[in-house]
Amino acid sequence: MIEILYPLIAHRWGGVIVAVFLVLAGVFLLSWARRSKSPHRGLGKLLAWIVCGGAGLVLVGALVSVAIVAYHGSRHPAPGERIDVGGYRMHILAEGDDRGGPSVVWIPGAHSQGLAMYHLHSALRGEARSILFDRPGTGWSDPGPFPRRTAVEAVELARLLERADEKGPFVVVGHSYGGLLAANFARRYPEQIAAVVLLNASPPDAFVYAPAYGAGELRDLARQAEREGLAKLVGVWRNRDDAIVESDTEPGELLRRQRTLLADVNDAMAANRRRPATSFAEASIYREFGAGKITETAPDLVVYDGELGDLPVVVVVPGEGAAGLVEPLGLDEAAAVRARNFFERARVRYLDVSSDARLVHSPPGTGHDFPYETPEFVVELVRGLLEELRGGGATGR
């Protein structure tokens, strides 16, 4: 039900608008109760005052939220350009010279803002044209239309690059859920692609057919994002990562590593995350795998075998197998064997999309988040690919 409200509550003033409607509803109930001769008018008055009181609290919280977002936004202006892509603006940060070769477009995992790959971008911008961008709703980009869909975001990315006068061809590098967008972008615009690098990219199979996690995991992530968005809307949101980063856990260790790598942009990223739009855009994109939706969205999500022709595709996966994914689930032995087999095969699914696909394993001991565990490995991989493409005569800007 809340999904139909995303376009409203993702708006900067969405919380204020909701509060005003609640106030009007409370006033209407109070007016009815005063005029009514019903024996229940006392209950009506009580309900009216409760609605008005709740609306007042929501209004105060919403105004606080607007003020907080505006304050932090003023302290962290967009480092790149905000380009109109059809009635709303997307943010793009493009730096460096192509040096006669392709430009690199980085797409982080989940539905994260572009700065989540700033450590890789900053390492390569001195030797190649390097591009970060914010999907609608994230970073400095406007919310854009809802529902959010990967197919839509592939078109938006193409429009953004064109209107920002980024000529390509592009090496598109996508991590995890960002890899799904990278593959979809390449399928739609192969003429703009020099190569695709998929860093443990998420194939739709992993959500539709997985014996564990699967679509249920994305449904839970969508609900969590909605709860966070509502908390942001009324000014009571607290970044749960702040508690996790202090914990002696694997997620805590990963967050500490990420914050160290992204020290130059951590404050800007934290400021951007305060926007309710960030959470509702994330919830919306995850819901494209929901029950009743996947049959509609799957044909636009899947990159079929052979569909990228002979485009160079580098599929990078951890070499340690999928035991780390399966063990925490507490499955019985038979189910665990089946789950390990599924995940180990699903992670190389993209090898079949091109006749020029190659498999690369990340360094030993690394897992799904190897772009943060061993960023130098990813930089060297992309650097070597750029040199190979330049030697092959790839045209530049």
Side-chain angles (χ1 to χ4, degrees):
M1 176 60 181
I2 190 176
E3 190 172 3
I4 65 174
L5 296 177
Y6 287 171
L8 170 62
I9 55 184
H11 190 275
R12 179 182 180 184
W13 293 93
V16 174
I17 295 171
V18 169
V20 168
F21 274 111
L22 288 174
V23 168
L24 292 175
V27 170
F28 174 81
L29 282 172
L30 190 59
S31 175
W32 170 84
R34 285 174 173 171
R35 295 195 314 268
S36 175
K37 299 186 183 303
S38 168
H40 303 295
R41 65 179 183 172
L43 183 60
K45 283 184 181 180
L46 177 61
L47 178 61
W49 283 115
I50 291 174
V51 171
C52 287
L57 291 175
V58 171
L59 181 58
V60 171
L63 290 172
V64 168
S65 174
V66 170
I68 289 174
V69 171
Y71 169 73
H72 286 281
S74 67
R75 295 186 63 194
H76 301 284
E81 295 182 87
R82 299 183 71 215
I83 306 293
D84 189 295
V85 293
Y88 53 102
R89 293 173 297 176
M90 289 178 64
H91 174 251
I92 183 171
L93 176 63
E95 298 179 304
D97 190 289
D98 61 26
R99 302 193 178 191
S103 301
V104 182
V105 179
W106 305 94
I107 309 179
H111 199 257
S112 302
Q113 56 189 298
L115 288 183
M117 281 190 151
Y118 184 80
H119 61 304
L120 303 174
H121 165 81
S122 61
L124 266 184
R125 64 186 172 185
E127 53 195 274
R129 184 71 169 172
S130 183
I131 300 170
L132 299 176
F133 72 100
D134 294 322
R135 302 188 190 200
T138 72
W140 288 273
S141 290
D142 294 337
F146 285 90
R148 293 275 90 213
R149 295 292 181 260
T150 298
V152 172
E153 294 192 345
V155 175
E156 289 169 333
L157 174 55
R159 194 177 298 155
L160 173 65
L161 293 169
E162 178 185 5
R163 296 189 180 183
D165 200 29
E166 296 297 328
K167 302 298 187 183
F170 303 105
V171 173
V172 187
V173 186
H175 173 228
S176 190
Y177 208 83
L180 181 64
L181 176 56
N184 271 267
F185 177 69
R187 178 175 74 81
R188 287 167 172 79
Y189 305 97
E191 72 284 353
Q192 297 185 31
I193 303 299
V196 183
V197 181
L198 301 176
L199 307 176
N200 213 26
S202 303
D205 316 43
F207 305 118
V208 179
Y209 301 117
Y213 292 134
E217 176 76 2
L218 288 187
R219 182 185 61 244
D220 293 343
L221 288 173
R223 290 173 177 170
Q224 177 181 296
E226 287 175 349
R227 290 192 295 269
E228 292 190 351
L230 292 172
K232 292 174 183 178
L233 205 65
V234 295
V236 298
W237 177 71
R238 297 293 180 270
N239 189 347
R240 60 191 179 90
D241 287 353
D242 292 338
I244 296 173
V245 78
E246 299 295 333
S247 67
D248 188 21
T249 62
E250 188 173 329
E253 182 182 349
L254 175 62
L255 281 173
R256 288 191 291 274
R257 185 181 296 113
Q258 288 176 332
R259 290 188 175 186
T260 300
L261 290 170
L262 300 170
D264 292 342
V265 295
N266 273 329
D267 289 345
M269 291 180 68
N272 288 334
R273 282 195 63 190
R274 292 179 177 273
R275 299 171 56 207
T278 296
S279 295
F280 295 121
E282 182 180 20
S284 185
I285 198 73
Y286 286 153
R287 288 195 178 278
E288 70 182 341
F289 283 98
K293 293 187 178 70
I294 187 60
T295 53
E296 175 188 344
T297 59
D300 275 338
L301 276 170
V302 176
V303 179
Y304 296 125
D305 294 356
E307 217 167 8
L308 296 190
D310 60 356
L311 278 177
V313 175
V314 182
V315 179
V316 191
V317 302
E320 300 298 313
L325 285 173
V326 177
E327 286 173 2
L329 301 178
L331 302 176
D332 62 54
E333 182 56 30
V337 168
R338 190 167 185 239
R340 284 195 297 271
N341 176 68
F342 173 84
F343 284 118
E344 287 170 5
R345 293 177 184 274
R347 64 174 37 163
V348 296
R349 189 74 180 86
Y350 286 107
L351 286 173
D352 293 322
V353 299
S354 169
S355 61
D356 188 13
R358 65 192 81 167
L359 178 64
V360 176
H361 288 105
S362 64
T366 58
H368 176 69
D369 291 299
F370 62 81
Y372 301 96
E373 296 170 327
T374 56
E376 64 283 353
F377 160 75
V378 177
V379 171
E380 285 301 319
L381 177 73
V382 176
R383 180 181 287 131
L385 183 59
L386 287 172
E387 292 175 358
E388 178 183 332
L389 293 168
R390 285 169 183 154
T395 57
R397 286 165 52 83

